[in-house]
Amino acid sequence: MSQFTPEQSAAIRAEFPELSETVSGHPLVYLDTAATSLRPRIAVDIESEFALRHTAAVNRGAHSLAAEATEAYDDARASIAAFVGARPNQLVFTSNATESINLVALAMRLASSVGSPPRFALAAGDEIVVSEAEHHANLIPWQEVAQQTGAVIRVAPITDGGELTAEAVKSVVSDRTRIVAVSAVSNVLGITNPVRAIADLGRAAGALVVVDACQSAAHGRIDVESYGADFVVFSAHKMYGPTGIGALWGTTEILDEMPVVLTGGSMITRVDYDSSDYLPAPAKFEPGTPRLTQAIGWAESLRFVESVGVDAISAHEESLGAELFAGVADIPNVRILGNSNGVHRVGLVSFAVEGVHPHDVGQYLDSRGIAARVGHHCAQPLHKRLGVDSSTRFSLGMYSTADDVALAVAALADVREFFGED
Amino acid sequence: MEFDDLYQQIILDHNKKRVGYGLQPGGFPSHQYNPTCGDELTLTVRLSEDGSTITAVEWEGKGCSISQASASLMTSEVTGMSVVEFESFANGFRDAMRSRGTISLSEDEYGDLAALSGVSKFVARVKCAMLAWVAAEDSLILTRESLN
Ligand SMILES: Cc1ncc(COP(=O)(O)O)c(C=O)c1O
């Protein structure tokens, strides 16, 4: 496990124009990659060049520009799919991970109202398993399914240190379990969950398994097949890509079975006045004019990630993340959320500063040029579970450096004194 | 520097002092919630028998230093004020908070509350400063409805 050399870091950082901004008179220390990563210039340049020279309708029309746009769109899908270890026709483009989860949940609500197809149709008394650590995006869509169908949400407990074990999930899985929805890494705790073991449990119980891979995709390589799940979701904007695009990955078999949710042009074969036939996935889930420029931008961002080296980035972030964790842990009266020992973590750490509200912490850090995330990070129930209302989070990206970590830890160490806590 | 405008010593002090903290039973409390940060505040305005004057402000809640200091400073400044006066006082405060740094609260009129002027440059924090005021206005409406 090693970090980038200063020369390597400098070369990487030169690709990210936002890093040369100043905040409150200090050079920006960007520690909010887990929310949204910064964008490399090369990918944005190619994306905007594409928009200027190749914008045209995808999958419609025979003129050369339209054909080129269609080809570029398909190529983008193929290269994004390759990056995550998927086949192109298993990758459905959506607006973001939130929409991806909602697509599955909506398909279930539609199926439940007519009682078919069987794997998507839930009935009263069926059970949906989530963990205590889920992002609202992987909780609220399931609450809606439960409310409509009379299904029950069962919550797998985490330990006080933030660890989710397969045993904990097992304790809430039953023969009524129809959905198991867990994150690969919580955006608050940063601990890698034993997703494979959890997915195996879920599938053995006959449930559909949905993995929220937003944070593992943000901080390293993901291999969608390796989870053993039915569905995996992630967002481009946490992978150095643009906002406005994300993906729903599904096994070929499950995408085939999944009912359509949104309908219209581009997803059909035959259309009559009273009925239509649909294309296979992914087209059947992508009605209307697609996100062409965003797909190009995402593919280019991942090309840049590959050029730096995914494994090198993971190693860098993991090593730096350990420094960050140790630095924060050393500050008195600062409590790390998810401080379990002996777990694998990605480069992020959330914490509560005793006596100082996270908004005040964040504002103080900002005055020293440090961009941190404050609030409940879209995980209110998790914060409640850990006995706090909200927290502050530092998260790393490929461009983060040991200097960033040192500055952040030093600023954090001054927070309590500034607010008059002794 | 703008950050120092935001966290003037008066604000840091009132974040600790919390004048008016502690709700008594009765009256017409208003509960306000800021969904972006989860901060909450419950506040009761007490009026004289004829309903014309604010005799006390009581509140409880949790939140950032700006929201706590704003509640504390407001309590100090508006206790004893006539209801009519309070209404324009609150409107003036709101206008300043929403002014994006273009309107400063005068110390003559607003006393120590003028220390909150710097908040208006931080759009994300305006809601924090307004939480107690929205609660006060709401409690006042509830109280006066009961008098009619
Ligand atoms: C773990 C996790 N799940 C889901 C989401 C939602 O992602 P998006 O807002 O891109 O849909 C996020 C990001 O905020 C996340 O970190």
Side-chain angles (χ1 to χ4, degrees):
Chain A
M1 228 172 53
S2 70
Q3 294 176 20
F4 290 130
T5 64
E7 295 71 34
Q8 286 172 319
S9 274
I12 291 168
R13 290 172 66 84
E15 288 295 325
F16 291 88
E18 277 169 289
L19 291 174
S20 43
E21 301 279 321
T22 54
V23 173
S24 316
H26 299 273
L28 170 65
V29 174
Y30 189 76
L31 294 179
D32 200 16
T33 294
T36 290
S37 36
L38 302 180
R39 307 242 18 230
R41 179 190 289 285
I42 176 130
V44 178
D45 281 351
I46 293 174
E47 182 184 331
S48 58
E49 192 61 20
F50 183 89
L52 292 172
R53 298 195 179 275
H54 301 284
T55 294
V58 171
N59 290 326
R60 291 157 200 219
H63 61 79
S64 303
L65 271 179
E68 272 170 39
T70 306
E71 209 172 294
Y73 183 66
D74 290 345
D75 287 351
R77 189 194 310 273
S79 71
I80 296 162
F83 184 90
V84 299
R87 270 171 274 159
N89 60 4
Q90 298 175 322
L91 200 73
V92 178
F93 285 138
T94 60
S95 296
N96 47 39
T98 302
E99 185 178 294
S100 304
I101 296 171
N102 273 282
L103 261 190
V104 178
L106 280 168
M108 289 179 165
R109 291 167 64 184
L110 292 171
S112 301
S113 64
V114 293
S116 120
R119 297 197 68 194
F120 285 84
L122 271 67
D126 282 344
E127 295 175 357
I128 301 170
V129 168
V130 297
S131 87
E132 280 183 328
E134 296 313 310
H135 188 283
H136 296 165
N138 199 26
L139 175 62
I140 301 172
W142 307 123
Q143 292 176 347
E144 289 290 327
V145 172
Q147 265 159 35
Q148 180 190 315
T149 60
V152 181
I153 307 258
R154 308 269 327 255
V155 185
I158 55 170
T159 64
D160 290 344
E163 203 176 340
L164 177 68
T165 62
E167 292 70 50
V169 174
K170 194 171 183 183
S171 73
V172 292
V173 166
S174 77
D175 57 2
R176 297 300 305 265
T177 307
R178 304 297 312 284
I179 303 167
V180 174
V182 292
S183 52
V185 173
S186 145
N187 61 314
V188 175
L189 306 169
I191 299 173
T192 303
N193 292 326
V195 177
R196 179 72 207 208
I198 292 169
D200 288 348
L201 278 169
R203 287 181 116 191
L208 287 177
V209 176
V210 181
V211 172
D212 172 355
C214 283
Q215 289 303 331
S216 41
H219 296 282
R221 181 181 294 287
I222 66 167
D223 176 2
V224 289
E225 298 267 0
S226 71
Y227 295 135
D230 296 282
F231 294 107
V232 179
V233 308
F234 45 96
S235 280
H237 70 96
K238 295 180 197 289
M239 303 166 75
Y240 308 96
T243 56
I245 190 166
L248 169 67
W249 174 87
T251 63
T252 304
E253 176 211 348
I254 207 70
L255 288 177
D256 204 37
E257 194 175 332
M258 178 165 152
V260 298
V261 176
L262 303 172
T263 56
S266 299
M267 45 101 53
I268 45 78
T269 53
R270 172 202 59 90
V271 178
D272 281 322
Y273 281 108
D274 52 3
S275 71
S276 304
D277 293 329
Y278 305 139
L279 285 162
K284 90 178 190 189
F285 300 109
E286 294 180 6
T289 301
R291 302 160 177 86
L292 172 59
T293 323
Q294 290 90 332
I296 303 299
W298 190 5
E300 286 306 327
S301 304
L302 295 179
R303 227 183 296 285
F304 176 74
V305 171
E306 290 282 17
S307 76
V308 176
V310 186
D311 295 333
I313 294 171
S314 303
H316 173 74
E317 285 188 27
E318 229 172 89
S319 166
L320 207 53
E323 268 175 39
L324 177 66
F325 188 91
V328 173
D330 267 354
I331 302 172
N333 302 304
V334 169
R335 176 185 157 205
I336 292 180
L337 307 183
N339 60 356
S340 192
N341 288 322
V343 293
H344 177 267
R345 2 179 130 256
V346 301
L348 73 83
V349 55
S350 303
F351 49 85
V353 180
E354 200 186 302
V356 186
H357 190 280
H359 265 189
D360 293 324
V361 175
Q363 199 87 55
Y364 179 79
L365 294 170
D366 185 70
S367 79
R368 302 207 12 194
I370 295 154
R373 172 83 190 262
V374 299
H376 49 61
H377 317 308
C378 299
Q380 283 185 27
L382 171 60
H383 279 84
K384 213 174 288 171
R385 158 69 179 86
L386 296 173
V388 292
D389 294 312
S390 50
S391 63
T392 305
R393 180 182 72 194
F394 290 146
S395 60
L396 306 175
M398 67 162 91
Y399 34 65
S400 302
T401 62
D403 282 350
D404 289 346
V405 167
L407 286 167
V409 168
L412 181 60
D414 292 341
V415 165
R416 278 176 42 91
E417 192 189 334
F418 179 83
F419 288 99
E421 301 288 332
D422 35 43
Chain B
M1 228 182 71
E2 293 188 350
F3 176 74
D4 298 327
D5 291 349
L6 181 64
Y7 290 114
Q8 293 191 27
Q9 196 56 45
I10 293 173
I11 293 176
L12 297 175
D13 290 346
H14 271 267
N15 177 37
K16 294 248 174 273
K17 230 195 240 167
R18 299 203 291 187
V19 177
Y21 200 89
L23 284 167
Q24 305 305 319
F28 295 87
S30 168
H31 178 76
Q32 298 294 325
Y33 179 68
N34 182 349
T36 53
C37 54
D39 289 353
E40 304 183 56
L41 190 133
T42 306
L43 183 146
T44 309
V45 177
R46 309 254 179 209
L47 297 183
S48 58
E49 246 166 61
D50 64 357
S52 69
T53 307
I54 296 173
T55 55
V57 178
E58 299 151 10
W59 59 278
E60 277 176 22
K62 52 184 182 169
C64 64
S65 59
I66 304 297
S67 71
Q68 304 292 292
S70 183
S72 174
L73 285 160
M74 180 188 78
T75 303
S76 312
E77 295 292 331
V78 310
T79 304
M81 198 176 259
S82 81
V83 170
V84 177
E85 210 184 330
F86 172 76
E87 280 166 357
S88 68
F89 194 72
N91 285 336
F93 183 80
R94 176 180 279 110
D95 289 346
M97 287 302 108
R98 290 184 177 167
S99 74
R100 304 207 169 188
T102 59
I103 304 175
S104 280
L105 296 162
S106 86
E107 262 187 72
D108 284 350
E109 201 182 341
Y110 281 89
D112 283 352
L113 274 167
L116 284 162
S117 294
V119 174
S120 76
K121 286 183 213 136
F122 295 83
V123 176
R125 307 303 295 276
V126 172
K127 269 198 179 149
C128 315
M130 287 308 303
L131 201 62
W133 296 76
V134 172
E137 288 175 326
D138 188 45
S139 173
L140 208 52
I141 290 169
L142 298 170
T143 310
R144 294 176 90 196
E145 273 171 2
S146 77
L147 294 174
N148 288 337

